[in-house]
Amino acid sequence: MSTPSKPRQWGVTAPISTASPTPHELQLTETLVEALKGYNLFESDQEARKREVVLGKLNTLTKEFVYQVSKKKGFPESLAREAGGKIFTYGSYRLGVHNAGSDIDCLSVLPRHVEREEFFTTMYEMLKEQKEVTEMTAVSDAYVPVIKMHFSGIPIDFVCARLSLARIPDDLELSDNNLLKNLDERCIRSLNGSRVTDDILRLVPNIPAFRIALRCVKLWAKKRAIYSNVMGFFGGVAWAMLVARICQLYPNACAGAIVSRFFRIMYQWNWPQPVLLKHMEDGPLPVRVWNPKLYPADKSHRMPIITPAYPSMCATHNVTDSTRTIMISEFKRAAECVDKIFIGAGQWPELFENHTFFQTYKYYLQVIASSDSAESQLKWSGMVESRLRQLVLKLELVDMLVLAHPYIKPLDRVHYCSTDQEALDAAYGVFNPQTTFALTEGNMDVNHMDLLRENGDSAEGSDPQQEPRKVYTTTFFIGLFIEPKTAGTTGTRKLNISWPCAEFTKLVKAWDKYDEATMGITIKYIKSSMLPADVVEGDPKKLKRPQSKNKTGNPPAVNVEKPNKKMRSGTEEQADNTGMTNPVATGNSEESIATAPPAAEPVST
């Protein structure tokens, strides 16, 4: 009598169940796919071909870039041509779960004689000359240095890595760990994106089920505003690894069943126990591999999800105490929602209901980055965004502040200012809705002057012959949950956030490209009732006209930090730079600036 074969183990543990899907689970998977189609998650054949054309052009540009650098360094014509160069995709596009209009993560692999700095100078200039390229900015000092741009309207994150090879052949594969020898850490991190994506696909038992389940989870995370690595939540690769782990535990399950088990298991997961897709491996490099037993920094990771490719790293080191609490709460809500769907008491769209960030808290911080051009604003706001997590971490140390909840989508605006005072006010978050426009990714360079002339919108007392000056602002929001008063407590309490705000301001102004003449940073504290209408009502392209008697439609300004601004054409004027001396105020002029508001329980929704 033959013994039954042992089921294949896909991950670090045996599967929980190898059962095939039930008819009910298959039927729910079909309704899930139909629901996902309603959210425009699947691109058309025309869009798919457009992406292929763009990638082909990038591959050609990469080869031409390597050729030009090789010629400058004295290579003979034949060797310069043979030096090659190749692009690889990774992230959602490589996984096959990209949405219509989503970005492409792209890696340019270069031979050893091409320097990283040349990618951010020569290649940058080559891209700048392409008429299809818009909104390009280089972030060469990022953890993973990147050129961000739109190519034929498609967002591209373009990174590079140098290999210790004299030439890069077209048939190169990146799975060999020995390719990492003699590389600096930035190149290893850049290569890791592609290597991790390929490993995920190799470690998933049922790729079609994985893709549908991941599309569902990504949509849910975006709708619930918890999809952002930079803000301290999970990014795309982390969500992919989590879904892949559930697929390993249920190798024969359909997508609907994977989604159901995903939320229940993630809610009950014993964090900070790490999520692993395979056992961590040794390799040929003297590099640091994630190990909480050796490294205190690794031990501090709150929700570690470990990349499968060597060298293993934590993809979720940005998670804070606040974002961990928020994500676990969202896992619980989603698990309960999917349970109802499986018993016929709910529908899939209920899982994808929008977040309630702007209805949940009584008090918010606004962090406003400003500058005088679209190009500098892309760089400046990107730098401020990359550091915002540091402000959250410092806020978490403040007495009485239970939660600091960062919102994942900043609001970009352009203000057409006719006076220097208007420009300073706009940089401080006080603006005229008639001459202010919300911007979206891909239209940062739009000129609204024709619309302004058509509507006759201009500032009072402005010179009709003078072209208004543009001020660009990017506003980030942090929701504050303050510890409720204990029973019997009387009197007013003070919540002093001066230190976190001052430290954050000092941090971002220390950026080597910061220009105090054209850039500003402001932190404002406001009540929920004074939130801008465009964030509460859904980001219209042009801000709604004010409903209050306040001419500008904005709450009274409370200075936690005024921008050190010059931002003038002609004579210079510098705003008062008072420094961080005031605790939080409520935003009402009749209340003391040095007095904090009473306890801020979340508002019922």
Side-chain angles (χ1 to χ4, degrees):
M1 183 176 178
S2 62
T3 58
S5 60
K6 184 179 179 180
R8 175 178 174 178
Q9 179 173 314
W10 285 87
V12 294
T13 62
I16 294 174
S17 171
T18 58
S20 298
T22 66
H24 179 60
E25 290 171 341
L26 291 171
Q27 190 270 329
L28 284 173
T29 298
E30 291 179 7
T31 60
L32 172 60
V33 172
E34 289 304 311
L36 294 177
K37 288 179 179 177
Y39 291 93
N40 193 32
L41 294 191
F42 302 90
E43 69 178 1
S44 66
D45 292 340
Q46 182 180 359
E47 289 171 320
R49 286 193 295 271
K50 183 179 179 181
R51 288 176 183 269
E52 291 172 2
V53 169
V54 167
L55 290 171
K57 290 181 178 179
L58 284 174
N59 198 52
T60 300
L61 278 169
T62 294
K63 292 180 183 297
E64 180 63 23
F65 160 62
V66 172
Y67 169 76
Q68 288 189 17
V69 171
S70 302
K71 288 292 288 182
K72 283 182 183 177
K73 295 185 176 181
F75 279 55
E77 176 73 17
S78 59
L79 289 180
R81 286 294 178 193
E82 290 175 3
K86 182 179 179 180
I87 66 166
F88 294 81
T89 59
Y90 60 102
S92 62
Y93 183 80
R94 176 71 181 92
L95 289 172
V97 295
H98 59 288
N99 304 339
S102 65
D103 65 358
I104 301 177
D105 296 308
C106 194
L107 165 69
S108 175
V109 176
L110 311 171
R112 64 189 176 209
H113 63 273
V114 179
E115 301 292 334
R116 172 179 298 278
E117 290 72 21
E118 291 167 323
F119 180 79
F120 287 95
T121 53
T122 305
M123 184 61 160
Y124 183 88
E125 291 303 319
M126 289 176 63
L127 289 166
K128 204 172 184 178
E129 292 172 0
Q130 307 301 309
K131 63 180 185 301
E132 303 96 331
V133 173
T134 59
E135 295 189 23
M136 184 169 63
T137 181
V139 191
S140 58
D141 55 353
Y143 185 70
V144 179
V146 61
I147 294 176
K148 291 178 173 286
M149 61 183 165
H150 284 69
F151 199 116
S152 297
I154 298 173
I156 305 286
D157 281 1
F158 203 21
V159 304
C160 75
R162 301 168 58 223
L163 298 186
S164 295
L165 300 175
R167 56 184 294 272
I168 305 298
D170 287 338
D171 60 354
L172 176 72
E173 298 293 336
L174 300 178
S175 56
D176 184 0
N177 289 344
N178 289 310
L179 289 174
L180 304 179
K181 287 182 178 179
N182 303 317
L183 303 189
D184 66 28
E185 288 192 7
R186 292 173 300 175
C187 285
I188 292 173
R189 288 195 292 265
S190 296
L191 287 167
N192 223 29
S194 179
R195 285 163 53 83
V196 166
T197 303
D198 288 347
D199 261 8
I200 290 172
L201 292 174
R202 281 193 289 266
L203 293 166
V204 167
N206 184 337
I207 290 178
F210 163 74
R211 284 175 169 160
I212 295 170
L214 181 54
R215 284 185 183 276
C216 171
V217 169
K218 282 165 64 77
L219 174 62
W220 162 81
K222 290 175 181 178
K223 289 287 187 179
R224 302 304 297 174
I226 55 171
Y227 188 106
S228 174
N229 177 60
V230 71
M231 290 296 185
F233 297 102
F234 293 166
V237 69
W239 290 117
M241 288 189 288
L242 286 185
V243 174
R245 182 65 185 125
I246 305 305
C247 289
Q248 290 179 335
L249 294 174
Y250 300 90
N252 297 321
C254 59
I258 293 295
V259 169
S260 172
R261 284 147 187 165
F262 172 88
F263 290 118
R264 184 59 60 188
I265 289 175
M266 288 301 108
Y267 170 58
Q268 296 175 343
W269 193 266
N270 186 27
W271 303 107
Q273 177 183 330
V275 175
L276 298 162
L277 294 183
K278 69 177 187 180
H279 293 290
M280 288 184 286
E281 60 183 287
D282 294 326
L285 306 178
V287 297
R288 172 173 163 171
V289 175
W290 188 83
N291 189 335
K293 294 180 180 178
L294 286 181
Y295 306 113
D298 293 351
K299 191 174 182 180
S300 70
H301 294 160
R302 297 160 180 86
M303 303 178 78
I305 302 172
I306 310 305
T307 57
Y310 172 83
S312 295
M313 306 176 186
C314 179
T316 50
H317 60 275
N318 279 351
V319 173
T320 71
D321 288 336
S322 293
T323 54
R324 176 184 182 275
T325 298
I326 293 157
M327 285 190 284
I328 291 175
S329 175
E330 288 293 344
F331 285 140
K332 182 176 185 291
R333 173 199 168 271
E336 292 170 350
C337 186
V338 175
D339 285 349
K340 291 179 181 177
I341 294 170
F342 265 68
I343 63 173
Q347 301 292 326
W348 286 112
E350 295 171 22
L351 177 65
F352 309 125
E353 287 180 357
N354 278 329
H355 63 86
T356 57
F357 176 82
F358 292 108
Q359 293 78 38
T360 298
Y361 304 98
K362 280 188 179 180
Y363 306 101
Y364 294 82
L365 278 186
Q366 282 182 305
V367 179
I368 306 169
S370 57
S371 70
D372 63 354
S373 73
E375 184 176 359
S376 64
Q377 185 64 13
L378 282 169
K379 297 175 182 177
W380 174 228
S381 64
M383 204 287 302
V384 172
E385 182 178 39
S386 71
R387 302 293 190 270
L388 201 70
R389 171 178 165 271
Q390 300 300 321
L391 176 57
V392 172
L393 287 169
K394 290 177 173 61
L395 288 169
E396 289 176 346
L397 301 176
V398 173
D399 288 342
M400 297 189 300
L401 194 55
V402 178
L403 197 74
H405 182 170
Y407 183 55
I408 64 172
K409 290 183 179 180
L411 177 62
D412 292 304
R413 297 185 179 104
V414 59
H415 313 268
Y416 290 79
C417 304
S418 299
T419 68
D420 294 324
Q421 187 58 49
E422 278 190 12
L424 286 170
D425 288 344
Y428 189 54
V430 179
F431 55 85
N432 181 358
Q434 309 289 354
T435 55
T436 294
F437 297 83
L439 300 174
T440 56
E441 188 177 14
N443 77 340
M444 290 288 287
D445 296 321
V446 171
N447 193 317
H448 302 89
M449 283 305 303
D450 290 341
L451 183 58
L452 286 172
R453 293 189 187 100
E454 180 183 328
N455 295 340
D457 290 330
S458 61
E460 196 174 306
S462 63
D463 182 356
Q465 301 302 319
Q466 185 178 352
E467 188 84 358
R469 190 159 100 248
K470 295 180 184 178
V471 174
Y472 291 85
T473 61
T474 301
T475 305
F476 305 91
F477 296 89
I478 301 175
L480 305 177
F481 177 33
I482 303 170
E483 184 180 282
K485 280 185 178 180
T486 56
T489 302
T490 59
T492 304
R493 299 182 298 169
K494 290 184 179 181
L495 179 73
N496 193 328
I497 60 171
S498 299
W499 175 78
C501 295
E503 289 296 304
F504 178 74
T505 302
K506 189 188 304 181
L507 174 68
V508 296
K509 285 186 174 182
W511 184 43
D512 60 355
K513 296 181 180 65
Y514 174 71
D515 179 8
E516 68 174 359
T518 61
M519 298 174 180
I521 183 73
T522 298
I523 303 177
K524 293 176 64 177
Y525 173 81
I526 60 173
K527 285 184 175 181
S528 59
S529 59
M530 297 176 181
L531 284 167
D534 48 330
V535 300
V536 177
E537 298 173 13
D539 297 341
K541 289 185 179 178
K542 188 167 190 281
L543 306 187
K544 296 200 171 185
R545 296 177 184 271
Q547 302 299 315
S548 66
K549 293 181 181 179
N550 184 346
K551 182 178 177 181
T552 64
N554 293 279
V558 179
N559 72 308
V560 179
E561 168 74 7
K562 287 186 178 180
N564 185 8
K565 302 284 293 180
K566 295 178 184 175
M567 293 187 66
R568 286 178 61 98
S569 55
T571 60
E572 291 185 349
E573 175 175 292
Q574 183 168 310
D576 176 30
N577 188 16
T578 59
M580 294 300 302
T581 59
N582 296 325
V584 173
T586 62
N588 291 327
S589 57
E590 64 267 26
E591 297 192 41
S592 167
I593 281 184
T595 303
E601 300 84 6
V603 178
S604 59
T605 58

